[in-house]
């Protein structure tokens, strides 16, 4: 059995250009690194932002407004006769890098909108980086069909690393520990007043955002290499019905050429698209919006570990694509059921805030962190499995996968934003409230 796995891995690693793998990986890295990077800074941002614990819900909603990018792109390819995906990608990546560098210096600037204070600089610049991520679903990933199938996994691993690498850096950065309650009672006050003090991390958010901007710039350079280096152009293939005439590597083994006879039952085709929409309803819409409510009652450290470690779980699960065959639909369905159960659990914890079960105990912290890690790992693996199943489609399979991703994410974000900000289903927790009462 071990020898068989080694032979399988050997075949996957043969007849490929590692430089093209690296370029595809960094190209995928630029898809969501800006948005994911802001998310892993949330444990440091929510305590100072005027939006407080509802900041994640505002960010998720803003990311969905960034679907304006793929909508405009869809209208463009429908009504324009000039296909220039390459140049659109250049502009998108360059805009993302520039906005992230700018974010490093103005992320804490606020302004008054409709009588309320908002983190306008943070949210507006994040909107630009979100356009990069949203557009990648219908622009970046379908672009990888221009290359041999083996490089799609490299791209997807890079897309997963867009969460893993910022999480690793944020884990090193830390949050300084749980807050301390300081007595800030004034001489005129008749009741004691305690204010939470949050220790400083190892380095600032400014440094972190500069690091993110550098990663986006590297992604831009990698896409430049994919289009201009001869070693990368030699790994391209020609697909039936493609919008561009691409040079085909005549020396490539026939097993890597597109199989125009690819088929999938119609019911399974739409079922997988629906599954992708449900997964993204949870992972891109609902769960990020309520994460602060499910984690922060267990402490700032628990929230920090949840955000960073769960962001690593997705790309680690995607790395399994190098070692396993394409999963079956029934297997993905079973994993989706497990995901729904875990998602229901963390939503229950969020609804019980500010006093969820097992609060102030190591078991409660352990369960909430592990649950979020498993959720993100399952999301990453299921999304990879569905995308891999659609990869041989000579038609628009990957495009419709991207559409399902954005539709599910948009619906999830709208529903949860209303629940968080208007229904008041979720409530914040103050670490010093009990001291003040006592």
């Amino acid at each position: 059995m071990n020898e068989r796995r080694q032979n399988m891995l050997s075949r996957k690693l043969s007849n490929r250009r590692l430089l093209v793998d690296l370029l595809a990986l960094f190209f995928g890295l630029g898809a969501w690194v800006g948005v994911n990077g802001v998310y892993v800074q949330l444990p440091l941002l929510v305590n100072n932002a005027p939006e407080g614990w509802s900041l994640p819900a505002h960010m998720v909603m803003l990311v969905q407004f960034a679907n304006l990018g793929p909508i405009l792109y869809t209208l463009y390819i429908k009504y324009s006769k000039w296909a220039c995906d390459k140049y659109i990608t250049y502009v998108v990546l360059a805009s993302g890098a520039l906005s992230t560098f700018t974010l490093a210096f103005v992320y804490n600037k606020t302004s008054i909108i409709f009588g309320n204070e908002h983190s306008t600089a943070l949210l507006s610049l994040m909107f630009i980086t979100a356009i990069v991520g949203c557009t990648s679903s219908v622009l970046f990933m379908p672009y990888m069909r221009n290359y041999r199938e083996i490089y799609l996994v490299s791209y997807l691993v890079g897309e997963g690393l867009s969460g893993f690498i910022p999480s690793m850096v944020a884990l090193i950065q830390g949050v300084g520990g749980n807050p301390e309650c300081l007595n800030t009672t004034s001489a005129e006050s008749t009741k004691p007043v305690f204010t939470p003090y949050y220790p400083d991390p190892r380095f600032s958010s400014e440094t972190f955002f500069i690091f993110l901007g550098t990663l986006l710039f590297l992604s831009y350079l990698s896409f430049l290499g994919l289009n201009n280096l001869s070693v990368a152009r030699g790994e391209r293939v020609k697909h039936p019905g493609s919008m561009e005439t691409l040079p085909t590597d005549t020396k490539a083994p026939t097993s890597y050429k597109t199989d125009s006879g690819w088929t999938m039952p119609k019911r399974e085709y739409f079922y997988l698209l629906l599954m992708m929409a449900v997964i993204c309803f949870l992972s891109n819409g609902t769960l990020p919006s309520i994460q602060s409510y499910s984690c922060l009652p267990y402490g700032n450290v628990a929230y920090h570990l949840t955000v960073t470690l769960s962001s690593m779980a997705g790309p680690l699960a995607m790395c399994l694509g190098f070692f396993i065959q394409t999963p079956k639909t029934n297997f993905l369905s079973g994993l989706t059921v497990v995901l729904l159960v875990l998602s229901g659990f963390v939503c229950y914890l969020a609804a019980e805030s500010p006093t969820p079960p097992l609060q102030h105990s190591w078991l409660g912290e352990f369960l909430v962190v592990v649950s979020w890690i498993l959720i993100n790992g399952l999301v990453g693996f299921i999304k990879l499995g569905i995308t891999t199943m659609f990869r041989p489609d000579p038609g628009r399979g990957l495009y419709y996968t991207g559409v399902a991703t954005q539709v599910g994410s948009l619906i999830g974000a709208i529903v949860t934003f209303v629940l968080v900000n208007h229904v008041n289903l979720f409530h914040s927790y103050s670490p010093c409230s009990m001291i003040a009462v006592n």
Side-chain angles (χ1 to χ4, degrees), residues 275 279 283 310 313-318 320 331-332 334-343 370-386:
M275 185 187 298
I279 296 299
S283 64
S310 63
L316 287 176
M318 287 185 174
L320 295 176
F331 180 63
L332 294 178
L335 294 181
T336 302
V337 172
V338 177
L339 173 65
L340 291 174
V341 172
L342 290 172
S343 299
V370 170
S371 296
W372 278 100
I373 292 174
L374 291 176
I375 286 172
N376 278 31
L378 287 170
V379 166
F381 185 85
I382 295 171
K383 290 174 68 175
L384 173 65
I386 295 174

